[in-house]
Structures are given as structure tokens and as C-alpha cells.
Amino acid sequence: MLIQPSDPPPRAGITAVGSLLPEQALSSEDLQREVAGRSGLTLPPTLLEQATGILSRRVAPEGVYASTLAVGAARRALESAGLDPLDIDLLVFASASRDMVEPATAHIVQAELGSRAHALDVTNACNSFVNGIDLARSMVLAGRARRALVVTGETPSRAVRKDPADFAEFRRGFAGYTFGDAGAAVVVEAVERGGILHVDSETHSEHWEVGGIPGGGSRHPRGDDHTYFRGDGHELRGVFEKAGTAVIDRTLHRTGTDWDGFARVLVHQVTVPYLERFAELTGVPDGKLVVTVPELGNVASASLGVQLDRVYGELAPGERVLFVGLGGGISIMTMVWEKS
């Protein structure tokens, strides 16, 4: 009996990346001074910097929107790949921020780029970008798309309350003072080797009320008070610590890889203390991490894309990267990607 060799399983991977940061930097010292001045609160010197480890963050100026940052990052990704916007047949805007409730911000991005792709939004807090990449991969493998562009544009600095009425309100919105703005984009398409090898996730949706921006939906369609981020950073950290490292441990086991098997580990970064705690709990070596939070703050779903863009050119074919996403809701995601 003649046994015919089987075709290798189809693969999809990231083949280009781009990111964009607003030019304006806002130091924690200046942000604290502004909050104290507008609220009349007396705050301990260097409170924001000492509590978060964040020295500065980028802030989008007036007239620059989530779509603006996404378009800028998308153009850089397309240029690096030598592609025209018309080469894309799926455009996914995957972000916690958006330009408006309706229509999907993906259409605004597409109009600016001049592409004609199937366009849609994906949103899942700070895991939006990883979810978008996973969706694009699935569409490529299913034969529904040939080449996808996944973009994010984050402007969470606009959800920061700079005039809290009292210290209690300042504390409720404290996590917002970590925010910075950024855009990122990746091209996802079929590859012959490597690519996205594994994706896993874990959700703890019973904690959805721990933090977020409640305005703009059917619960709170109007009212400025609902447009500011609310959440206790200590409670958020506690929820993630309670969730533990199970999804990461599972990913390492299923892929047969230890930390030495990854050239880089990209993890969503909220504050320096939280990043240090992540390293302590997981055992990931410091040299594997791409640290951006001290200079950029928490750039929401753009965090992993910005980190990837910083190291993409240094990676050799066959080297693997572990993505670790942490998002409000609560969700934890992992993705193992091998450069083709």
C-alpha cells in the first residue's frame, strides 16, 4: 500500500509591524502638578512617579484621534512590507479606544488608507489587539482572507480625570493616571514556516466591574462623569494575581517550551511594580522582557504592538516570541509566534 505524504498544515503569521507615538511627552511630575492645581488637592511630592514607576507618557494633541494613530502605524507596517493598501482584503481595528460609537472605527481607518477590505472592529479592553490578530489568523486559515491588516489606536489619556472633587475620587480614578497614547499595526498572512503557533485565553468575567469606562453604551449613554476611567488599581492587581499563571503555564506545557525557548516575552504593562510582580510570579528572566512602561505608561492594547515593533528587526527567522495580554473584563491571553 502506497502512503501519500500529507500536505503540511496551513500557517498564518505576522509578516510586518509598525507603530506610532504622539510627539508630545507628559511627565508624571507635570501631570501631578496639573491635577493638584485643578483639583486643589495636596498630593505627596512625586506620588504618581513613585507609585507607578512611570516617568512620562505620550499624549495625542487635539485633532489626533484613535483612528489617526492607527492609520499612521498602518502606513508604516504596509511600507515595511512593500504593500499597497489595496493589497489588504481584511482590516481589523482592534482597540479599547475608538473614534465614536458608530460606525466602526475600522471604516474611518480604511477611508484614510484608501483600502477596500472587509472592515470591522474588535474590542476587548487591553487584549483587543491580540484578539484582532487571532481573528485575522483564523480568517486567513479558513480561506476567508488572503492578507489582513490589524490596527489599534489608543487614546486613553482622554479618559483621565484631572479635576477630581476629592481624594476619594482621585483614588477611584488613579489607574487612569498611568495612561498614554499610541498606535500599532501588523500584517497577518499565510506563511510557509513559523507563524502563529499557539493561542490560549482565560476569562474571569465575574470581575467585569472592577475597572473601566462606563460611558457611551446603553447603561450610561450620556454624562461626562461616565467618560472617565474608574477602577481601583490595587483591586485590579489582586484579581490578576488571584487568576494566577495557569494560562501561561499551560502555554509553556502545550508548546513544549521553557523561557529559554523565547527570544522575547511581550507582556501588557500597566505599572513598573506590576511588571516586576509579573516577572516574580512567572519566573520570566528580566532580559527577555521589552520594557516600555517607564517612558510610555500604559498604552492599553497598543502595548504589545509597540513592543513588537521595537524588537522585530532584531529577530532572526525561527526565533519565537511569547505575547501575554492582560485585559479588563477580566481576560488573560497568550500567543506564541515564530518569525518566518
Side-chain angles (χ1 to χ4, degrees):
M1 176 179 172
L2 179 64
I3 300 177
Q4 297 291 337
S6 59
D7 293 331
R11 296 172 179 262
I14 297 167
T15 58
V17 60
S19 65
L20 182 67
L21 300 173
E23 292 184 4
Q24 180 184 350
L26 177 64
S27 70
S28 290
E29 181 181 357
D30 287 342
L31 176 59
Q32 180 170 326
R33 185 181 298 112
E34 182 179 0
V35 171
R38 294 177 62 176
S39 66
L41 296 176
T42 300
L43 303 174
T46 67
L47 170 64
L48 295 185
E49 183 177 323
Q50 289 185 0
T52 66
I54 296 170
L55 303 177
S56 66
R57 73 279 293 139
R58 299 295 182 93
V59 178
E62 185 176 350
V64 172
Y65 312 112
S67 63
T68 313
L69 297 173
V71 167
R75 285 177 173 152
R76 291 182 175 183
L78 291 172
E79 182 180 1
S80 70
L83 297 173
D84 185 273
L86 293 175
D87 294 326
I88 300 299
D89 57 4
L90 172 65
L91 193 156
V92 181
F93 178 82
S95 178
S97 302
R98 65 197 76 178
D99 281 19
M100 56 191 69
V101 173
E102 187 183 359
T105 303
H107 295 293
I108 302 174
V109 173
Q110 175 142 274
E112 286 292 320
L113 288 176
S115 52
R116 301 291 297 172
H118 177 48
L120 72 155
D121 283 5
V122 169
T123 182
N124 185 24
C126 295
N127 271 332
S128 299
F129 194 54
V130 184
N131 279 123
I133 295 172
D134 187 30
L135 172 63
R137 167 184 176 253
S138 299
M139 293 281 278
V140 170
L141 293 180
R144 295 286 308 281
R146 184 174 59 88
R147 183 179 289 121
L149 179 64
V150 183
V151 302
T152 179
E154 292 287 12
T155 55
S157 70
R158 292 178 180 166
V160 177
R161 181 146 218 165
K162 297 181 179 179
D163 60 346
D166 50 35
F167 193 79
E169 190 169 72
F170 171 77
R171 182 173 180 177
R172 282 196 299 272
F174 188 84
Y177 299 117
T178 68
F179 289 149
D181 302 335
V186 294
V187 175
V188 177
E189 58 188 324
V191 294
E192 292 185 1
R193 61 182 63 85
I196 298 168
L197 306 178
H198 180 80
V199 179
D200 199 356
S201 63
E202 194 171 281
T203 58
H204 301 268
S205 301
E206 65 273 19
H207 300 294
W208 72 267
E209 294 181 287
V210 171
I213 302 172
S218 62
R219 290 177 180 245
H220 303 288
R222 283 165 287 279
D224 283 349
D225 284 348
H226 300 303
T227 63
Y228 298 108
F229 185 89
R230 301 176 186 173
D232 186 314
H234 291 291
E235 187 176 1
L236 282 166
R237 175 170 168 169
V239 169
F240 280 114
E241 288 198 11
K242 183 179 179 181
T245 63
V247 66
I248 298 173
D249 297 338
R250 194 163 61 237
T251 295
L252 296 177
H253 174 73
R254 289 177 176 175
T255 58
T257 310
D258 58 19
W259 293 121
D260 290 337
F262 295 105
R264 291 290 189 167
V265 176
L266 313 181
V267 59
H268 175 59
Q269 298 172 25
V270 179
T271 66
V272 171
Y274 193 94
L275 183 61
E276 292 172 344
R277 181 59 173 158
F278 170 84
E280 179 184 349
L281 289 173
T282 61
V284 58
D286 290 342
K288 300 285 184 181
L289 297 170
V290 182
V291 180
T292 56
V293 67
E295 60 168 314
L296 300 181
N298 175 1
V299 292
S301 73
S303 180
L304 300 181
V306 170
Q307 291 172 50
L308 178 62
D309 191 31
R310 292 195 168 187
V311 300
Y312 187 84
E314 304 170 2
L315 298 169
E319 288 191 313
R320 292 184 176 184
V321 174
L322 174 64
F323 294 67
V324 181
L326 309 170
I330 299 290
S331 67
I332 305 170
M333 289 192 70
T334 57
M335 183 174 74
V336 176
W337 167 70
E338 181 180 306
K339 190 171 185 180
S340 302

